[in-house]
Amino acid sequence: MSGEGSAVQATGVTAETMRNLDAPGNAGDWMSYGRGWAEQRFSPLVQIDESNVARLGLAWYDDLDTLRGVQATPLVVDGVLYNASVFNVVTAYDAATGEKLWTYDPEVDPQWARLACCGPSTRGISAWEGKIFIGALDGRLIAIDAKTGEEIWTTKTFENTEPYSITGPTRVFDGKVVIGQGGADYGVRGFVSAYDADTGEQLWKFYIVPGNPADGPDGEASDEAMEIALPTWNGEWWKYGGGGTAWDSIVYDPELNLVYIGTGNGSPHVDTIRSPGGGDNLFLCSIVAVDADSGEYRWHYQMVPAESWDFTCTQPMMLADLEIEGRERQVIMQAPKNGFFYVLDRRTGEFISAESYVPNTWASHIDPETGRPVETDRARLTYEPQLMNPNALGSHSWHPMAYNPNTGLVYFPAHEHWMVMAKIQEEDFEYVNWRNNSGFDYVSNPERRRELQAIADTREAGFLLAWDPVRQQEAWRVEHIAPGSGGVLATAGNLLFQGTPEKEFAAYRATDGAKLWSMATQNVPIAGPVTYMVDGVQYVAVNVGWGGQPSSTLASIPGWSSNMATARLMVFRLDGQAELPPMPPPSDLPRPPRLTAGEDVVRQGAQLFADTCSSCHGDDARGGLKDLRWMTSDTHDAFFDIVLRGTRTDKGMASFADILTQQEAEAIHQYLIARANEDWADMAAQSGSEN
């Protein structure tokens, strides 16, 4: 921790302020991840509105010294902005001037950059009665003093002997810090736990899927729920963890005293490997409601029985009161990866409605009587490649959505990302701890894959979607050049703010989607924006830093992924006059080495890359955090030092020597060389660098 600047007043986040968000003394703050416990991400501030937003300019910014994705939603309390960058480094700023007040670094081992599914980012921090809470990537829950940045207490939420990680935001519900974790892709048993905000003492723990039945009850809050879940599983799933990790969305209703948990995918993904005798596999891909004080089960609703596609249902959830068929309903809403927008009764879990918001190949509709999806005849994965949408990347991921009670619309980034999917032969599955154990096949029938991928590339689309949750229909959309747009903020000024894959931050009219303002940001703002007021001036803030959403469209634009500025926190106000430094011109694409390996080696490398590297470096080695098709000759020469010896650990690229042999690393290298040779001529011609 280092201190800079003036002293900070203690944060004013309490049970009273959280229950009175729009009171005059609170409306200018952003006190929790979704602003309030309902996570509607709607601000009543109106100084910036549709009539003057064109005057918006940069007030101040801070370089975050990383080229990795920055996903965090800042907090703003009593004139102080608290922000989290990669590896959970938290900085406090004067929210009006950008002056740094203090920085706290939990010193997460850079190795965790590759042990977490999607890199070392965090989606947010939380505040309560003078403390800031960090869910560190390595599993520590840390409380620091909001005034000084000094550590108050720390506790371990899991042991580092299993591939758990934390990337989701911490949340505080009436003095209880609640956190889930990731790791289902690598083989863990998901759970959510709650801790006393004053002491760090664990209050309750709720497992999401059953463990080994031979071990008996866990002695945790979830024991009753596991009696419901256990009959829906078969085989020896516990050897692979089972999955279900709640890696992002958790919300709270203080009136009902319920905590709602969005749960994740299975481990392994493919259900016939995980649970060969069938079964719904509760509580995968569900919303589970538990008592906030005890953690005990109250109800559940499963979106995807026998989840097999890495859909997950951990995407943002929000609470609202809606008039539906002449009756006011207390609802919880979610648009998970599976392509359906759901409205449920949040008291009981009763299904109210769901409609697909994208073309959907896995389910034709949701049965209104049972609430279960009606699967198509092409839903379940086979050994033959088939084209699917949604897929493992989903139609809406963690990127925050917003609800405007004045328009009655929910706004969120959505996309069509068609994918060629198949499963491996069950007998060929080999579980490797700390590696993505999907059970997906990435290499069979290559000619058919190429044909289908060509079709998939033409169908890729990304857009900002305005959705009417009562009528369950689209109100309007704004098309982007590709998937990859950021989280959404709604304000009473009839505005929406969102970062776009066009590398800009934009404002739209909430009623019809008309674009009213934008500014080039030199990188993609994927995080959730916030707005706040200090000394009578309204500001809008967003973290700008591309997180590597794979996209064939973006990967085909020469220089798109390589010509990025460092990640930044950017803050705007009316008539702001600050300017970003100019960008250097993009460099030419390096010519790849000659391919020397045979087809078998390249095919092995393709499967290993998909299981080990694609979450950061893109599906089919296109795009991602770093497009490895375009490695320089120096990087090719140093490939084994980087991958096996960790020579770039300081940049977040840790050693994979514990799960890759020299021969396997060579197979991956040859696959990347093959991919580069396939694409280099076309890309170089587009960029004008071929010679």
Side-chain angles (χ1 to χ4, degrees):
M1 192 280 295
S2 62
E4 301 179 48
S6 58
V8 184
Q9 295 300 310
T11 177
V13 181
T14 65
E16 181 180 1
T17 57
M18 289 300 295
R19 284 170 167 79
N20 296 278
L21 286 176
D22 295 341
N26 302 331
D29 285 346
W30 193 280
M31 293 186 286
S32 69
Y33 180 68
R35 185 170 180 267
W37 284 327
E39 301 218 348
Q40 294 182 1
R41 289 183 176 260
F42 174 79
S43 170
L45 298 182
V46 294
Q47 185 179 93
I48 303 170
D49 64 19
E50 60 181 315
S51 72
N52 61 20
V53 69
R55 292 168 41 203
L56 209 62
L58 188 62
W60 58 269
Y61 70 90
D62 185 39
D63 286 338
L64 301 179
D65 298 324
T66 181
L67 288 171
R68 286 185 170 270
V70 180
Q71 303 174 359
T73 295
L75 303 180
V76 185
V77 185
D78 296 337
V80 179
L81 186 151
Y82 303 92
N83 193 41
S85 186
V86 296
F87 293 108
N88 306 104
V89 175
V90 175
T91 301
Y93 304 84
D94 182 303
T97 67
E99 176 191 11
K100 286 185 182 180
L101 306 173
W102 52 256
T103 294
Y104 173 84
D105 185 351
E107 298 181 348
V108 173
D109 188 333
Q111 167 129 317
W112 285 90
R114 67 92 166 169
L115 301 179
C117 169
C118 302
S121 193
T122 178
R123 294 182 194 98
I125 50 181
S126 56
W128 188 261
E129 295 183 348
K131 303 180 192 69
I132 301 294
F133 299 93
I134 302 166
L137 193 66
D138 58 13
R140 286 175 291 159
L141 183 62
I142 304 168
I144 58 177
D145 190 301
K147 181 178 180 180
T148 65
E150 298 285 351
E151 186 173 313
I152 298 174
W153 57 255
T154 183
T155 189
K156 293 281 289 183
T157 65
F158 55 76
E159 295 302 321
N160 298 141
T161 55
E162 295 185 82
Y164 289 104
S165 59
I166 295 177
T167 56
T170 53
R171 291 166 168 94
V172 185
F173 304 140
D174 279 337
K176 292 176 281 292
V177 189
V178 183
I179 190 68
Q181 70 298 116
D185 297 338
Y186 298 91
V188 298
R189 182 188 182 196
F191 66 89
V192 169
S193 45
Y195 301 83
D196 186 286
D198 289 330
T199 66
E201 177 188 1
Q202 183 175 301
L203 302 176
W204 52 258
K205 184 175 186 178
F206 186 95
Y207 282 107
I208 293 167
V209 300
N212 186 347
D215 293 339
D218 298 297
E220 302 291 356
S222 50
D223 280 355
E224 178 186 351
M226 291 302 97
E227 293 180 6
I228 300 170
L230 184 59
T232 69
W233 289 77
N234 287 278
E236 298 179 319
W237 70 88
W238 61 88
K239 292 183 177 179
Y240 313 130
T245 48
W247 51 263
D248 195 63
S249 191
I250 302 171
V251 294
Y252 171 57
D253 185 328
E255 178 187 340
L256 301 178
N257 199 39
L258 293 179
V259 171
Y260 306 94
I261 302 166
T263 73
N265 56 277
S267 174
H269 298 107
V270 175
D271 63 316
T272 54
I273 297 173
R274 181 182 68 240
S275 185
D280 285 351
N281 289 189
L282 293 173
F283 295 102
L284 297 181
C285 209
S286 305
I287 295 176
V288 181
V290 303
D291 183 274
D293 294 326
S294 67
E296 295 175 346
Y297 168 88
R298 292 294 176 261
W299 61 256
H300 79 275
Y301 173 81
Q302 188 176 45
M303 278 81 166
V304 187
E307 195 282 321
S308 193
W309 305 271
D310 189 17
F311 277 157
T312 78
C313 295
T314 60
Q315 285 61 52
M317 301 181 292
M318 60 172 56
L319 312 182
D321 296 339
L322 303 179
E323 184 176 327
I324 300 174
E325 297 181 348
R327 173 185 168 196
E328 185 170 276
R329 305 291 298 268
Q330 293 176 297
V331 305
I332 183 168
M333 300 183 285
Q334 188 185 42
K337 286 168 66 175
N338 73 7
F340 285 92
F341 189 100
Y342 292 85
V343 180
L344 308 177
D345 186 303
R346 69 176 184 265
R347 285 182 173 271
T348 65
E350 175 193 354
F351 174 81
I352 297 175
S353 64
E355 292 292 340
S356 185
Y357 57 88
V358 292
N360 202 310
T361 62
W362 81 278
S364 60
H365 63 285
I366 308 299
D367 187 309
E369 299 299 323
T370 65
R372 292 177 67 90
V374 179
E375 293 186 10
T376 67
D377 57 6
R378 58 182 291 192
R380 292 287 153 180
L381 297 180
T382 67
Y383 307 125
E384 290 298 315
Q386 61 181 338
L387 199 56
M388 295 195 68
N389 186 71
N391 54 62
L393 297 174
S395 294
H396 171 225
S397 190
W398 61 267
H399 308 79
M401 61 184 188
Y403 171 68
N404 185 329
N406 299 327
T407 65
L409 300 177
V410 177
Y411 309 92
F412 60 97
H415 62 258
E416 295 179 43
H417 193 131
W418 295 74
M419 180 182 285
V420 183
M421 298 190 72
K423 65 177 181 177
I424 63 172
Q425 299 282 343
E426 282 79 0
E427 60 270 22
D428 292 337
F429 177 76
E430 180 184 359
Y431 176 75
V432 180
N433 205 18
W434 300 94
R435 179 185 288 172
N436 190 324
N437 292 279
S438 67
F440 296 157
D441 173 24
Y442 297 95
V443 298
S444 66
N445 201 336
E447 291 186 6
R448 178 61 175 161
R449 287 179 178 276
R450 282 192 289 270
E451 293 173 1
L452 292 175
Q453 189 61 53
I455 298 171
D457 290 351
T458 65
R459 295 181 180 178
E460 188 174 80
F463 42 93
L464 168 61
L465 188 62
W467 190 264
D468 186 324
V470 175
R471 295 179 176 84
Q472 281 286 13
Q473 64 186 28
E474 179 179 327
W476 53 257
R477 69 172 61 190
V478 174
E479 300 281 353
H480 294 306
I481 60 171
S485 54
V488 182
L489 161 69
T491 77
N494 197 30
L495 293 174
L496 291 174
F497 292 92
Q498 186 193 37
T500 78
E502 290 85 355
K503 299 182 186 176
E504 65 179 18
F505 189 52
Y508 304 91
R509 190 159 48 219
T511 44
D512 60 11
K515 187 176 181 179
L516 304 177
W517 168 87
S518 66
M519 177 177 171
T521 51
Q522 303 178 351
N523 202 318
V524 181
I526 58 172
V530 304
T531 188
Y532 60 92
M533 182 168 280
V534 178
D535 295 332
V537 178
Q538 184 181 353
Y539 298 83
V540 179
V542 67
N543 278 306
V544 179
W546 176 246
Q549 170 76 50
S551 163
S552 59
T553 301
L554 296 177
S556 67
I557 300 174
W560 188 92
S561 60
S562 60
N563 194 33
M564 293 275 197
T566 184
R568 294 184 174 111
L569 170 66
M570 297 181 66
V571 181
F572 306 86
R573 58 167 290 179
L574 294 178
D575 304 317
Q577 298 297 314
E579 295 183 355
L580 296 177
M583 286 287 289
S587 57
D588 291 342
L589 291 180
R591 184 185 290 272
R594 183 171 63 89
L595 178 63
T596 59
E599 182 178 342
D600 289 346
V601 173
V602 172
R603 179 174 294 190
Q604 180 194 21
Q607 186 72 43
L608 287 166
F609 177 89
D611 289 339
T612 312
C613 317
S614 62
S615 61
C616 285
H617 295 290
D619 183 45
D620 203 28
R622 296 188 295 181
L625 174 68
K626 178 77 172 177
D627 195 319
L628 298 182
R629 293 173 299 171
W630 316 133
M631 289 185 284
T632 65
S633 59
D634 288 343
T635 303
H636 279 290
D637 291 343
F639 188 85
F640 298 108
D641 287 336
I642 296 169
V643 173
L644 300 179
R645 297 175 184 85
T647 55
R648 293 191 182 174
T649 298
D650 60 329
K651 299 183 182 299
M653 176 62 195
S655 168
F656 283 75
D658 58 331
I659 60 172
L660 291 175
T661 66
Q662 178 87 16
Q663 185 274 328
E664 289 173 330
E666 173 63 20
I668 292 173
H669 190 206
Q670 290 298 323
Y671 164 68
L672 293 170
I673 292 172
R675 287 292 298 113
N677 278 279
E678 287 174 359
D679 296 347
W680 182 81
D682 289 341
M683 294 290 286
Q686 292 178 47
S687 66
S689 62
E690 189 172 12
N691 51 58

